[in-house]
Amino acid sequence: MTLSDNIDSLKKDFLPIQSDSIAIYKKILEIGNQYKGPDITQFQHSDTVKGCQSLMYMKSRHAEGKIYFDIFSDALISKGVAAILVSAYSGETPETILKNKPSFLKDLGITESLSPSRSNGALALFTKMQQSAIYHLTKVKL
């Protein structure tokens, strides 16, 4: 699936509830509950996402020209928002990640439903994803 396909899938979940902050929070919690990533023991200190209100880790791996992300968060809302970003960007090329900011979060009503600190956490996670994309892109070209 492409980034566009991933965003279309998210739209199916969020557009019907776009103007209902409580429904959006419930959906984010549901996505956080459903995400089955690695447990905290699989992450190192260097995987920490700085700028998040809660404890969050992200790591990536590069395979066949694409980047795959794993996250851990100790807070369900943060985990849900992170899982949304992972579902959108995992399996994409580094170039796609670098060229496509997560503006879809605003389009779906997610950004407006988050507190400023949670929005900052989402931005911090995406920034770490971009840093990972740059790392993998330059590593491949060396």
Side-chain angles (χ1 to χ4, degrees), residues 12-54:
K12 289 177 188 172
D13 289 337
F14 283 94
L15 285 181
I17 59 172
Q18 184 177 17
S19 60
D20 185 346
S21 292
I22 293 173
I24 289 173
Y25 260 97
K26 286 181 180 179
K27 188 57 151 171
I28 292 169
L29 288 169
E30 178 185 321
I31 291 169
N33 271 323
Q34 291 173 348
Y35 181 79
K36 302 296 180 210
D39 66 34
I40 194 169
T41 62
Q42 303 301 307
F43 295 91
Q44 300 174 9
H45 179 70
S46 61
D47 299 325
T48 302
V49 179
K50 294 173 178 65
C52 285
Q53 179 178 340
S54 59

Side-chain angles (χ1 to χ4, degrees), residues 33-82:
N33 271 323
Q34 291 173 348
Y35 181 79
K36 302 296 180 210
D39 66 34
I40 194 169
T41 62
Q42 303 301 307
F43 295 91
Q44 300 174 9
H45 179 70
S46 61
D47 299 325
T48 302
V49 179
K50 294 173 178 65
C52 285
Q53 179 178 340
S54 59
L55 179 64
M56 184 177 294
Y57 295 102
M58 186 218 74
K59 63 181 178 176
S60 64
R61 64 190 183 288
H62 187 262
E64 299 177 10
K66 297 185 179 186
I67 300 179
Y68 299 88
F69 299 101
D70 287 314
I71 55 102
F72 172 86
S73 179
D74 64 348
L76 208 47
I77 290 286
S78 296
K79 184 179 180 182
V81 173

Side-chain angles (χ1 to χ4, degrees), residues 64-112:
E64 299 177 10
K66 297 185 179 186
I67 300 179
Y68 299 88
F69 299 101
D70 287 314
I71 55 102
F72 172 86
S73 179
D74 64 348
L76 208 47
I77 290 286
S78 296
K79 184 179 180 182
V81 173
I84 289 167
L85 289 172
V86 166
S87 72
Y89 292 103
S90 198
E92 292 295 334
T93 64
E95 295 88 353
T96 298
I97 295 163
L98 292 170
K99 290 178 184 175
N100 294 279
K101 294 181 180 181
S103 59
F104 65 90
L105 294 176
K106 182 175 182 176
D107 298 340
L108 301 178
I110 294 172
T111 305
E112 290 80 12

